[in-house]
Amino acid sequence: MSTYENKGSNRKGNNAKKGQAHQNTTSWKANKNSKKSREIAALPVYGLCQRCTDVILWRKKYKKYKPLTTVKRCTCCQEKAIKEAYHVLCDNCARSKRVCAKCLESKEILVS
């Protein structure tokens, strides 16, 4: 037996995939009663297009949303005026340019 026969190779016919290592037996459930989860759920979502609103709501639902700890700088006016996470324009600049504050596209902005 040569040393090449003992090793697993990527040659044609010798690369069968194995099954999934871990099968989920129960679905993932978030901790609804935590203080942080309630604070994040209470934050409003405004000044965004439909797609960006859906992305933010998905992040909130699956606990991927990370709120800002400090005020963020606007990319347009360069002032520290952004208080919402994932936004790149402040409210004033987004309204004056009539664009989404997250993706900067001039789609229909949801008001809520």
Side-chain angles (χ1 to χ4, degrees):
M1 235 180 176
S2 70
T3 56
Y4 292 108
E5 292 178 33
N6 293 336
K7 291 183 181 179
S9 68
N10 289 333
R11 286 188 176 178
K12 188 174 182 181
N14 194 20
N15 55 358
K17 290 193 174 186
K18 296 182 170 93
Q20 185 176 341
H22 301 285
Q23 302 265 337
N24 293 330
T25 55
T26 58
S27 63
W28 180 81
K29 288 190 167 70
N31 183 5
K32 295 179 191 174
N33 298 324
S34 73
K35 184 179 178 183
K36 188 173 184 180
S37 295
R38 283 181 283 176
E39 287 174 0
I40 289 173
L43 291 173
V45 179
Y46 60 92
L48 302 175
C49 63
Q50 182 63 50
R51 183 177 181 278
C52 292
T53 301
D54 293 341
V55 168
I56 298 290
L57 293 176
W58 181 90
R59 284 180 168 273
K60 284 184 173 188
K61 181 179 178 184
Y62 290 103
K63 307 301 180 234
K64 303 291 182 183
Y65 186 89
K66 293 187 175 157
L68 287 179
T69 55
T70 59
V71 182
K72 194 172 158 186
R73 192 175 295 273
C74 176
T75 57
C76 180
C77 64
Q78 301 298 320
E79 292 182 16
K80 289 192 174 185
I82 301 176
K83 296 174 185 164
E84 298 82 22
Y86 306 103
H87 288 217
V88 293
L89 290 180
C90 62
D91 294 335
N92 295 334
C93 293
R95 277 195 215 111
S96 65
K97 290 185 171 190
R98 294 185 181 176
V99 295
C100 175
K102 183 176 182 285
C103 67
L104 304 178
E105 292 184 14
S106 57
K107 297 178 183 175
E108 183 181 344
I109 305 301
L110 300 177
V111 180
S112 57

